[in-house]
């Protein structure tokens, strides 16, 4: 998503210029404030003014989590200007209505769009953890609304897998790691957290490993802390451990005819 | 209440998931090391950033036996913070210092990630008869019928043999789940002999809604499937266990050449529908050029049109015929999701070859 932008008129068209890069990031075919539009919410007594139509997007990245959300089609984030008795702010939506809780709000168009992306991302992740039959009416309604715009299959396929694992450093300069239960992989320092460069072959860490969603290859380590090597279990320890375990013979018996 | 039953596509390995309400699960085997375990981590939504209370609860984790393709993901599962109430673990190896599951369990317990109180072992020489592993509390509150998970096997003799001989497949756990009037069987890598023992104990013909086919449709004992064993296998599925849907959990182009045609044939002849979690070398079309043209209806876009040669071996991304098989309940009746889509895939395969699978 773009950072802060300022608007400029170029050839009678309004363009939004990214403050940091100077590039045009949003285009409009009409001035930002024109006729009075529909009220966003009757209860809130907010008056909306139709604004510009900005450059269409087919996906967006949640800037808090870095997760990519793939949309079912291109959407131009319809943006507008709202003012109530006390505050004035921009609003932005992709496919949801202006009075939705998911609408984006901000002091600039870009911030409103970004806020909208964040709200979609947050709500999606809340509801994604539930099965449809576990949702209440409101949640089911929101989930269906989200699925109107989000291509869930492509979105989930694009998300990397993150998992906490015990990892052995098997080589240094350059570094190779072997997550326990995984496969050996090269790791670049730029893909590893601070302090990784001090690790030597034979060190063990507990790390949040990030894997490519398609290839399942290790693409980076997000965070880490040192840990003891995965212990070897001696035969006597194993025997002692087994002895201390409860046995399934202690589970309730059931007759074959009752199964 | 069971929400759904899933045979996950973890590549060449086995991982079955039973979802209960409230972010609770029963997990039977966790899949292989390598890439397949990521499917389980993703499916359970084990995000390392989530607070503890948001992480799923695994009511029971059952490791059917200590082969890598069934327990390889154990370390990653324990590290990733799932709250595991109970582990049922099959002590099927001679006591040496290389026991993979014990090593991981001990490490997790040592670091406070697991209470040793939650670990149960199936080593026993005096236990006869099945044991109840999980049972829903109040049957009146179960919209889909009462849930009961039962450990049918191993009995003491098999566990002892497995340890003495160092053959984990002898001591596999066979799990039976009943949801209302519907039965599911998760037999790990159980050999034919054990099926016959279990069948004799039942003493009657058993109708199964779904069976996770043992040993990935491969050998049913040590070695080849002899004509005599083939006849016993046919008899088993025609007379003793009547399986509606048989799911083979498998990785494409696997070196073991699973599944065996004879196993699938026995299931088909008995009227079962056979689904693979991946498209396998055994039922893939012979002509690679045709294979490249073949697009599976539910393949992720990045695997469309890839041949078995270009699909990596043994990773869960080798999505095949069914990928993860999901059974949902509609009006108390189990229904396999995407059945019509799967039918389309099989029809597509029929045009270019002779698929061994079938979806009716």
């Amino acid at each position: 998503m773009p950072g802060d932008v300022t608007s400029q008129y170029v050839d009678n068209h309004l363009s939004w210029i990214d403050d940091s890069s100077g590039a045009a990031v949003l285009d409009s075919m009409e001035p930002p404030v024109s006729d009075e539009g529909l009220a966003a919410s009757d209860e809130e007594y907010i008056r909306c003014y139709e604004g510009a139509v900005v450059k269409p997007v087919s996906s967006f990245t949640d800037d808090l989590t870095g997760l990519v959300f793939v949309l079912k089609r291109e959407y131009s984030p319809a943006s507008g200007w709202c003012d109530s008795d006390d505050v004035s702010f921009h609003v932005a939506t992709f496919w949801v209505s202006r009075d939705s809780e998911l609408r984006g709000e901000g002091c600039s168009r870009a911030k409103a769009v970004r806020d909208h992306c964040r709200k979609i991302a947050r709500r999606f992740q809340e509801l994604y953890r539930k099965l449809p039959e576990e949702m209440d009416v409101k949640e089911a309604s929101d989930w269906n609304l989200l699925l109107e715009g989000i291509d869930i299959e492509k979105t989930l396929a694009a998300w990397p897998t993150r998992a906490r694992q015990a990892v052995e450093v098997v080589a240094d300069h350059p570094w190779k790691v072997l997550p326990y239960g995984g496969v050996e992989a090269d790791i670049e320092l730029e893909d590893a957290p601070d302090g990784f460069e001090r690790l030597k072959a034979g060190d063990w860490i507990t790390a949040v490993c990030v894997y490519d969603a398609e290839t399942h290859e290790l693409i980076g380590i997000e965070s880490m802390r040192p840990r003891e090597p995965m212990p070897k279990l001696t035969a006597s320890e194993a025997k002692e451990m087994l002895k201390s375990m409860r046995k399934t013979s202690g589970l309730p018996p059931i007759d074959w005819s009752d199964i | 209440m069971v929400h759904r039953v899933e045979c996950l596509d973890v590549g060449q390995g086995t991982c079955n998931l039973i979802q209960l309400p409230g972010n609770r699960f029963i997990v039977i085997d966790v899949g292989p090391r390598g890439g397949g375990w990521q499917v389980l981590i993703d499916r359970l939504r084990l995000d390392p950033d989530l607070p503890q209370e948001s992480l799923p609860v695994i009511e029971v984790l059952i490791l059917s036996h200590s082969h890598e393709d069934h327990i390889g993901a154990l370390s990653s599962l324990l590290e990733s913070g799932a709250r595991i109430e109970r582990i049922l673990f099959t002590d099927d190896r001679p006591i040496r210092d290389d026991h993979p599951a014990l090593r991981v369990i001990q490490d997790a317990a040592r670091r406070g990630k697991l209470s040793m109180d939650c670990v149960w072992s199936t080593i026993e020489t005096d236990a006869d008869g099945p044991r109840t592993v999980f049972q829903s509390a109040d049957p009146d509150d179960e919209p889909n019928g009462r849930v009961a998970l039962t450990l049918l096997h191993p009995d003491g003799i098999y566990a002892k043999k497995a340890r003495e001989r160092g053959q984990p497949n002898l001591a596999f756990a066979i799990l039976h789940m009943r949801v209302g009037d519907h039965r599911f069987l998760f037999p790990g890598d159980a050999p034919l002999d054990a099926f016959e023992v279990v069948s004799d104990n039942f003493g009657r013909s058993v109708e199964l809604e779904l069976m996770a086919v043992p040993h990935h449709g491969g050998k049913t004992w040590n070695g080849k499937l002899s004509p005599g064993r083939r006849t016993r296998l046919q008899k088993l599925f025609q007379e003793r266990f009547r399986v509606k849907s048989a799911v083979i959990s498998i990785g494409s182009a696997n070196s073991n050449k699973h599944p065996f045609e004879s196993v699938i044939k026995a299931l088909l002849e008995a009227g079962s529908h056979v689904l693979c979690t991946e498209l396998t070398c055994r039922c893939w079309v012979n002509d690679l050029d045709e294979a490249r043209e073949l697009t599976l209806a539910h393949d992720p876009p990045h695997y469309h049109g890839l041949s078995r040669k270009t699909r990596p071996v043994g990773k869960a991304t080798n999505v095949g015929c069914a990928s993860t098989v999901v059974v949902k309940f509609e009006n108390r009746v189990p229904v396999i999701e995407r059945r019509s889509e799967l039918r389309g895939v099989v029809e597509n395969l029929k045009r270019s070859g002779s698929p061994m699978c079938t979806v009716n």
Side-chain angles (χ1 to χ4, degrees), chain A residues 7-9 12-16 28-37 47-54 78-83 88-91 98 106-109:
Chain A
S7 58
Q8 292 179 11
Y9 274 100
N12 291 326
H13 288 171
L14 194 71
S15 290
W16 276 265
S28 169
M29 299 305 290
E30 53 187 313
V33 177
S34 56
D35 300 325
E36 187 174 337
R47 289 182 304 145
C48 293
Y49 296 90
E50 290 301 319
V53 174
V54 295
S79 66
W81 176 262
C82 293
D83 64 68
S88 300
F89 52 89
H90 288 267
V91 295
R98 282 262 186 91
C107 59
S108 70
R109 289 173 191 279

Side-chain angles (χ1 to χ4, degrees), chain B residues 313-327:
Chain B
V313 175
K315 289 187 175 181
T317 40
N318 311 348
V319 176
C321 286
S323 183
T324 289
V325 175
V326 179
V327 180

Side-chain angles (χ1 to χ4, degrees), chain B residues 56-294:
Chain B
V57 174
I58 297 177
E59 288 268 352
V60 196
L61 165 63
I62 298 135
L63 305 170
S64 72
H65 64 294
S66 297
H67 269 160
E68 182 275 332
D69 55 338
H70 293 251
I71 63 162
L74 182 61
S75 170
S76 299
L77 183 66
L78 295 182
E79 285 290 338
S80 287
R83 293 173 289 167
I84 301 175
E85 301 283 337
R86 272 190 297 165
I87 296 179
L88 256 62
F89 151 80
T90 314
D91 177 34
D92 49 13
R93 295 204 167 196
I95 306 293
R96 296 194 195 118
D97 57 358
D98 62 348
H99 199 299
L102 271 184
R103 188 180 179 194
V104 171
I105 289 170
Q106 191 216 31
D107 176 62
R110 188 181 286 176
R111 292 183 302 113
K113 288 184 175 289
L114 188 69
S115 160
M116 281 306 288
D117 286 345
C118 82
V119 185
W120 296 62
S121 144
T122 60
I123 176 173
E124 53 213 331
T125 52
D126 56 351
D128 290 321
R131 292 288 186 271
T132 300
V133 175
F134 174 86
Q135 190 160 275
S136 52
D138 186 354
D140 295 335
D141 291 340
E142 302 295 339
N144 295 323
R146 188 171 205 178
V147 183
L149 186 69
T150 311
L151 178 67
L152 304 182
H153 198 86
D155 63 20
I157 296 167
Y158 274 88
K160 192 163 176 282
K161 273 186 188 173
R163 269 188 302 132
E164 287 172 357
R165 298 181 189 176
Q167 292 180 324
N169 276 5
L170 290 174
F172 47 81
I174 296 182
L175 275 299
H176 172 279
M177 183 176 71
R178 188 164 177 167
V179 184
D181 296 329
H182 304 283
R183 296 167 183 276
F184 300 76
L185 197 68
F186 305 98
D189 282 358
L192 179 58
D193 306 46
F195 264 92
E196 290 174 335
V197 169
V198 168
S199 172
D200 288 345
N201 285 329
F202 266 114
R204 61 188 190 273
S205 174
V206 178
E207 301 275 336
L208 296 173
E209 195 65 39
L210 180 143
M211 178 181 73
V213 177
H215 212 187
H216 324 285
K219 64 186 176 187
T220 53
W221 195 242
N222 44 347
K224 294 173 185 172
L225 196 62
S226 64
R229 289 197 176 277
R230 198 166 297 151
T231 308
R232 286 164 60 190
L233 196 66
Q234 287 166 340
K235 190 178 174 190
L236 185 76
F237 292 130
Q238 285 177 8
E239 297 176 10
R240 298 182 176 192
F241 289 110
R242 304 299 303 271
V243 183
K244 195 168 167 189
S245 297
V247 177
I248 300 176
S249 177
I250 200 169
S252 62
N254 64 81
S255 56
N256 299 317
K257 298 185 177 177
H258 294 160
F260 283 10
E261 192 171 356
S262 50
V263 175
I264 293 185
K265 205 172 169 187
L267 287 161
L268 293 180
E269 284 172 356
S272 305
H273 305 149
V274 183
L275 295 168
C276 289
T277 55
E278 296 192 312
L279 199 66
T280 76
C281 57
R282 301 288 291 175
C283 62
W284 187 247
V285 292
N286 292 322
D287 186 336
L288 281 180
D289 287 332
E290 278 189 51
R292 288 191 187 96
E293 297 299 316
L294 187 65

